[in-house]
């Protein structure tokens, strides 16, 4: 009930066109094992509560996304807010600058000419950083799949980056760089223990 009240209050602050109903667990959730139920709840939370940034594909609460988007747009070479009304209408659609490709390791954009130079350097830097970590925390360098739709290369690269290079908070599921995750967890843990 308390969560539903907070959710409703958040939704009332949004324009009517962006409001969402309270997410519901299916009836079968009561008979599920705790781990499976929590996994289902987290999936529903991400699908119905969190919103995805159209630039970096990270997920945020709606009010946090509003604060994040201007900075992320600027780092992706976009103007925010857009000047034309038509640009507002496509605000939640992924963008792709002409002739740029996203590195699947660091998530940054590079021109089609420089991506082939960048990726080996990025892999080397990744491996150097991972070598400094304790063996239990090391991650293998993210790899692009051998087969994928070339028209969706940036989407595939950003998905790999978010799943393999970023780390998810065990409380809220948002993704962060490893060094920022520890800072986030301190505040998120306090919030979720209330």
């Amino acid at each position: 009930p308390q969560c539903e009240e907070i959710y409703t209050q958040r939704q009332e602050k949004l324009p009517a066109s962006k409001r969402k109903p309270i997410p519901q667990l299916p009836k079968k959730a009561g008979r599920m094992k705790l781990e499976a139920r929590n996994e289902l709840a987290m999936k529903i939370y991400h699908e119905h509560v969190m919103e995805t940034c159209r630039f970096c594909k990270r997920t945020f609460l709606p009010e946090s996304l509003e604060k994040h988007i201007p900075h992320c747009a600027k780092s992706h070479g976009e103007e925010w807010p857009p000047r034309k009304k038509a640009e507002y209408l496509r605000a939640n659609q992924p963008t792709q600058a002409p002739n740029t490709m996203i590195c699947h390791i660091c998530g940054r954009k590079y021109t089609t000419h420089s991506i082939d130079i960048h990726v080996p350097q990025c892999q080397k830097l990744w491996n150097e950083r991972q070598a400094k970590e304790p063996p239990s925390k090391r991650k293998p360098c993210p790899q692009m799949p051998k087969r994928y739709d070339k028209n969706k290369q940036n989407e595939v690269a950003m998905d790999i980056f978010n799943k393999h290079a970023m780390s998810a908070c065990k409380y809220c599921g948002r993704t962060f760089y490893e060094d920022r995750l520890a800072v986030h967890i301190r505040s998120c843990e306090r919030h979720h223990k209330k």
Side-chain angles (χ1 to χ4, degrees), residues 11-79:
Q11 291 299 309
E12 287 171 354
K13 292 177 185 175
L14 297 173
S17 63
K18 289 196 170 194
R19 291 181 190 164
K20 298 177 184 176
I22 295 173
Q24 300 292 323
L25 277 172
K27 291 179 183 174
K28 68 176 183 176
R31 298 186 305 269
M32 298 172 84
K33 290 185 178 178
L34 182 62
E35 194 173 301
R37 185 195 176 282
N38 286 346
E39 202 172 293
L40 176 64
M42 189 59 83
K43 181 181 179 201
I44 290 170
Y45 174 76
H46 277 285
E47 289 174 358
H48 297 281
V49 178
M50 302 293 273
E51 292 189 12
T52 304
C53 171
R54 73 182 188 120
F55 299 105
C56 68
K57 305 293 184 259
R58 289 175 53 204
T59 56
F60 297 87
L61 288 170
E63 61 271 16
S64 299
L65 180 64
E66 288 178 23
K67 294 174 188 172
H68 166 81
I69 266 197
H71 304 288
C72 194
K74 187 176 180 182
S75 71
H76 282 80
E78 297 278 334
E79 184 180 320

